[in-house]
Amino acid sequence: MRSFILAMILATSAAAPAYAWWQYAEWNFTPAQVVSASSGQAVPCRADEAVCAAPPGGLKPTYFVERLTMVGMPASASFAFDGSDKLAQTVVLFPDSDPALIANLLQGIHGKPVDEAQRVWRDERRGTTITAIPAGRGTMLLYRPAGR
């Protein structure tokens, strides 16, 4: 029951631009387009920000936004760009979240993972793969365009 309620909260929050504006940053956006989509909240990454570290097997982010609220939890997001300066990766870091809880939320929204061992889901609507990665005391969600 708790998972269902949290999945409903996530679904509602994901639809609300005030909580998840970064979802409107389309793959292949330039850094300027990401900054514009964030109403100027996206700023250059700093070494002291955990969300600015390169995720396992991922790109090093160059922009980030701190103090987001998603599903009622504090989070931060970062953005990495490919060699053509096009958005190729988004990371959302929940610094104090249970990875199992986040996995249950993702399953409630996207169904069973396409790879249960690696905790990978596919968002068909946005053409995105989502990987849930334990990160310290929290969870990192790694978003990438499907097919990369």
Side-chain angles (χ1 to χ4, degrees):
M1 180 69 167
R2 180 178 175 192
S3 295
F4 174 75
I5 292 169
L6 290 172
M8 293 303 292
I9 292 170
L10 179 62
T12 303
S13 297
Y19 290 101
W21 63 266
W22 61 269
Q23 289 185 343
Y24 299 97
E26 306 269 338
W27 295 126
N28 296 317
F29 267 20
T30 64
Q33 289 171 308
V34 169
V35 170
S36 177
S38 73
S39 299
Q41 292 179 42
V43 295
C45 271
R46 298 188 318 250
D48 64 330
E49 289 293 333
V51 75
C52 289
L59 301 170
K60 177 133 179 74
T62 54
Y63 283 82
F64 83 107
V65 174
E66 58 186 340
R67 290 188 288 270
L68 295 173
T69 300
M70 290 183 59
V71 293
M73 295 186 289
S76 53
S78 66
F79 309 92
F81 300 86
D82 63 16
S84 301
D85 239 6
K86 302 292 183 181
L87 182 61
Q89 168 188 288
T90 299
V91 168
V92 177
L93 177 64
F94 295 93
D96 295 310
S97 67
D98 176 13
L101 172 66
I102 299 296
N104 286 338
L105 290 170
L106 286 169
Q107 187 162 331
I109 291 178
H110 299 293
K112 292 187 74 93
V114 294
D115 182 336
E116 289 193 44
Q118 298 295 314
R119 294 184 173 188
V120 177
W121 286 262
R122 186 170 169 97
D123 180 346
E124 297 291 341
R125 196 172 48 144
R126 290 190 177 93
T128 300
T129 59
I130 307 163
T131 306
I133 304 167
R137 294 186 342 226
T139 306
M140 173 187 299
L141 296 181
L142 174 61
Y143 293 77
R144 291 187 181 146
R148 281 200 184 181

